Amino acid sequence: MEDRVEAAESERPPTQDGAPAQASQAVDAGTDAAEASAAPSASALKKLAKAKEKEEKKAAKQRELELRQRQQEAGSVDFAKENYGPLPEPRPQAVTILGLEQLTANETTPVTVQARIQNTRAQSAKLAFLLLRQGFATIQAVVAAGEESEQVSRQMVKWVSSVSAESFMEITGVVRAPKDPVASASISGLEIHVKKIYVVSEAIAQFPMQLESALLPELNEDEEDEQEHAAAAADSKTSKIPKVSLKTRLDNRVVDLRTPTNAAITRIKDGVSLLFQEFLRAHGFVQIFTPKLVAAASEGGSNVFAVKYFERTAYLAQSPQLYKQMAIGGDCDRVFEIGPVFRAENSNTHRHMTEFVGLDLEMTFKVHYHEVLDLLEELFVYMFTELKERYAAEIQIVRKQYPVEEFQLPADGRMVRLTFAEGVTLLREAGQAVNDDEDLSTPHERLLGKLVKAKHHTDFFILDQFPLAVRPFYTMPAAHDATRSNSYDFFMRGEEIMSGAQRIHHHALLVQRMTALGISSADDGGLKEYVDAFKYATPPHAGAGIGLERVVFLYLGLGNIRKASMFPRDPQRLRP
């Protein structure tokens, strides 16, 4: 009976609403779908994880920064200790060192430079400014500790502020444009924000003179300028920067040479030498190199330095004159030399030194010695013109410390050329007593320079046909007047800078002149080989010797030739 009921139940057709099992399955499926739609996707979970990680890192960094700041304020930890101090040795890696004038603004890429600290200005425990110098270029550097400068600590700022001025440093940092131009720096539109700074070579704290003192007009110790000396000394008492004498500057020349003015003078002097060579090479000249230890005085007279040469006496060459002429005799038609010249003249003036650099040349001519004079004139015009164009920046730097009127040449380009007799006439017209057969004195030269400038508007002029009696034994006498000679001097601002002449090229005439002056042409006089060279026939020739330092100091108006010499020598100075 029960079996029949169960069978009947199983055979009963389903109701209209569906089977209970199916309804249950439908409910379960719906629940699963709803739960599936509410759960985040894998992509969303990944983003959430990254965001959480970023927040954790940010928080950790903030905590680390706060800890560093607390430690720094407490002075317990210097997190920048590897970024300053003595330069690490050996170097950890190759470093590209840039010049200050190569720098450009770059916020992202650090650069490395090497320069001197000219001065330091500590603003606070967290900020210092440096003025860096390289040659005559200067730039400001900023050393700042703070949130934006995790590589710079307060200890680093303190250390930088204690480094002695003039120390030679290596600095790494980013170059930025300052808010306002830095008036104290030559590179005013940029500044270096320091990340690392090391001492390459540290200077002592106390110098024998301040570098700033070398940038001021020096105390003048010449007796002829006592009034100017007294005024300058009085002015120095009221100035924060003491003035020093030229003697003090020369005694401490290494420090003195660091000024922008001296850096500019050095470059200009190099420029004169370069231009001298350029012009002569372009005109077929060949450079020669002659001995400076010689057997006899090349210029005659007693102004020669004698030195012990084993068991004999030798002399320091007064000029390469004799060897230039011998080179002409050896068929070197056009020669020049740049080298030291020694003169044992006990002259303690503004324009004399016992050793200077000579720019010498010698050349043959075809018809008249004025062919050489013409070329020399062209040489100086070329040097003056090119100096003005190529070294304008350096000249301007020198002018700031030594203001002087610009060197003037005739507007029409024609150089003033006077005979010695015409120069004497100008001086006599100005009320001066001048002898026809004597050389001009220094005051007469200066006055003649003023007279020529007033009349011809030039600082450069030539005197020709000097008295034979005041010229060396090898000078050719003038054909028209036995008391005159085919010789010439060039002048700048009323002072002689070059002396030259046609040389005697006949053996018999040379011996005659030497005999008349009491100079031996025999072997015992040390000039035998020079004199004998003319037995073998030498073509007509002329030349000149130029004082390099005289050209520089007179062109720039420095007032004293020693300022144009790196380490000058005079009767009182043999050091440094």
Side-chain angles (χ1 to χ4, degrees):
M1 184 68 176
E2 290 177 358
D3 293 338
R4 288 199 295 270
V5 174
E6 291 175 0
E9 289 288 341
S10 64
E11 292 174 358
R12 185 181 297 170
T15 64
Q16 189 174 359
D17 293 333
Q22 290 175 336
S24 176
Q25 291 175 357
V27 171
D28 292 341
T31 300
D32 292 341
E35 289 177 356
S37 64
S41 65
S43 176
L45 287 171
K46 192 174 182 179
K47 288 182 179 179
L48 287 171
K50 284 187 175 180
K52 183 179 180 181
E53 184 182 358
K54 186 176 181 181
E55 288 296 322
E56 289 176 349
K57 285 184 176 180
K58 184 176 180 181
K61 187 174 182 180
Q62 181 62 30
R63 289 193 300 271
E64 182 182 354
L65 180 59
E66 290 173 354
L67 177 61
R68 282 187 178 184
Q69 289 176 338
R70 289 195 301 271
Q71 291 174 334
Q72 185 177 359
E73 290 171 359
S76 59
V77 174
D78 182 6
F79 59 84
K81 62 182 179 181
E82 302 297 328
N83 298 336
Y84 66 95
L87 184 68
E89 294 291 351
R91 305 297 294 276
Q93 58 185 8
V95 179
T96 300
I97 309 294
L98 297 181
L100 295 188
E101 294 179 338
Q102 294 177 285
L103 300 180
T104 57
N106 190 325
E107 293 281 348
T108 58
T109 305
V111 298
T112 300
V113 301
Q114 290 185 341
R116 292 189 184 277
I117 295 179
Q118 182 158 314
N119 59 59
T120 304
R121 183 163 48 92
Q123 290 290 91
S124 68
K126 299 173 67 175
L127 179 64
F129 295 96
L130 310 177
L131 187 64
L132 304 178
R133 188 184 74 250
Q134 188 182 82
F136 44 69
T138 54
I139 191 170
Q140 178 171 274
V142 182
V143 187
E147 292 185 8
E148 296 182 0
S149 304
E150 295 184 33
Q151 290 180 276
V152 180
S153 63
R154 288 193 176 202
Q155 291 93 329
M156 181 172 173
V157 174
K158 182 179 180 181
W159 176 83
V160 165
S161 301
S162 70
V163 177
S164 301
E166 292 303 300
S167 293
F168 191 73
M169 314 294 289
E170 181 172 298
I171 303 100
T172 299
V174 294
V175 182
R176 299 174 182 169
K179 183 178 179 181
D180 298 308
V182 182
S184 61
S186 65
I187 304 174
S188 59
L190 298 173
E191 62 183 10
I192 302 173
H193 287 254
V194 177
K195 302 298 181 184
K196 297 180 181 180
I197 181 167
Y198 302 107
V199 172
V200 179
S201 180
E202 187 169 9
I204 61 172
Q206 188 66 39
F207 273 46
M209 69 178 217
Q210 295 183 32
L211 188 66
E212 290 81 359
S213 295
L215 291 168
L216 299 173
E218 64 277 348
L219 293 173
N220 195 324
E221 297 181 339
D222 293 340
E223 291 184 359
E224 62 186 16
D225 295 318
E226 286 182 359
Q227 292 181 345
E228 181 181 346
H229 183 178
D235 182 58
S236 70
K237 294 177 182 178
T238 60
S239 172
K240 293 182 179 179
I241 303 174
K243 291 184 179 181
V244 296
S245 66
L246 179 59
K247 178 181 182 301
T248 299
R249 289 177 53 181
L250 295 178
D251 287 344
N252 301 280
R253 191 59 160 158
V254 171
V255 177
D256 186 46
L257 287 172
R258 294 180 184 180
T259 66
T261 303
N262 280 317
I265 291 171
T266 299
R267 293 191 186 188
I268 292 167
K269 184 176 180 180
D270 175 65
V272 174
S273 173
L274 172 68
L275 296 171
F276 176 78
Q277 294 180 68
E278 275 185 4
F279 179 89
L280 294 182
R281 291 184 190 280
H283 286 76
F285 282 75
V286 175
Q287 186 172 13
I288 60 173
F289 306 89
T290 63
K292 303 308 166 202
L293 283 170
V294 296
S298 55
E299 301 296 322
S302 60
N303 59 344
V304 58
F305 289 109
V307 296
K308 185 177 180 181
Y309 191 71
F310 301 103
E311 301 304 319
R312 294 170 286 169
T313 297
Y315 304 92
L316 297 181
Q318 296 165 292
S319 80
Q321 183 56 48
L322 308 185
Y323 296 99
K324 289 190 300 177
Q325 290 185 254
M326 293 168 77
I328 295 294
D331 284 346
C332 299
D333 289 341
R334 295 186 171 199
V335 298
F336 75 91
E337 179 171 5
I338 300 176
V341 172
F342 303 92
R343 300 287 172 89
E345 298 176 356
N346 193 16
S347 298
N348 295 281
T349 73
H350 72 287
R351 68 175 188 173
H352 286 95
M353 295 194 298
T354 53
E355 179 184 352
F356 60 89
V357 178
L359 308 177
D360 280 87
L361 63 92
E362 204 79 17
M363 62 177 281
T364 60
F365 61 85
K366 306 302 181 186
V367 179
H368 197 278
Y369 77 96
H370 278 185
E371 296 169 31
V372 182
L373 202 56
D374 292 341
L375 181 135
L376 287 166
E377 185 178 292
E378 291 177 30
L379 166 64
F380 276 94
V381 172
Y382 176 79
M383 290 196 298
F384 295 148
T385 302
E386 293 299 313
L387 277 175
K388 187 176 180 180
E389 291 185 9
R390 299 191 202 179
Y391 297 87
E394 288 84 352
I395 291 170
Q396 185 61 32
I397 289 171
V398 176
R399 291 281 184 269
K400 290 179 182 178
Q401 185 167 353
Y402 301 108
V404 69
E405 291 183 8
E406 184 175 339
F407 192 80
Q408 191 172 351
L409 294 176
D412 60 5
R414 298 178 61 185
M415 299 303 107
V416 175
R417 190 183 297 183
L418 306 172
T419 64
F420 184 86
E422 290 170 335
V424 168
T425 298
L426 283 176
L427 289 169
R428 286 174 176 165
E429 290 174 353
Q432 299 296 306
V434 187
N435 192 304
D436 288 330
D437 297 317
E438 293 181 1
D439 206 353
L440 298 181
S441 66
T442 298
H444 283 154
E445 287 181 356
R446 287 179 171 176
L447 177 58
L448 184 58
K450 292 178 180 178
L451 297 173
V452 170
K453 184 166 185 177
K455 185 174 182 179
H456 300 283
H457 310 290
T458 180
D459 287 309
F460 177 69
F461 68 96
I462 301 165
L463 276 187
D464 189 18
Q465 291 282 301
F466 273 73
L468 181 62
V470 302
R471 307 303 275 201
F473 69 89
Y474 48 74
T475 304
M476 179 66 77
H480 67 284
D481 185 347
T483 67
R484 305 292 101 180
S485 65
N486 294 345
S487 61
Y488 38 82
D489 282 359
F490 284 20
F491 295 83
M492 293 173 61
R493 300 189 193 271
E495 301 201 43
E496 176 211 329
I497 50 93
M498 190 207 81
S499 184
Q502 178 184 352
R503 325 299 186 181
I504 295 174
H505 58 279
H506 297 297
H507 177 265
L509 180 57
L510 180 61
V511 172
Q512 179 184 329
R513 280 282 296 151
M514 293 175 71
T515 301
L517 295 173
I519 301 172
S520 174
S521 60
D523 187 51
D524 61 347
L527 296 174
K528 182 178 185 302
E529 291 79 10
Y530 166 75
V531 176
D532 286 350
F534 295 95
K535 292 180 178 179
Y536 316 124
T538 299
H541 58 281
I546 304 163
L548 174 57
E549 288 86 357
R550 280 202 185 182
V551 172
V552 173
F553 107 85
L554 289 169
Y555 181 80
L556 295 174
L558 300 180
N560 193 304
I561 194 171
R562 292 156 186 80
K563 298 175 189 176
S565 175
M566 185 168 281
F567 298 102
R569 292 290 177 264
D570 61 34
Q572 307 303 321
R573 181 169 293 279
L574 199 57
R575 301 169 67 176

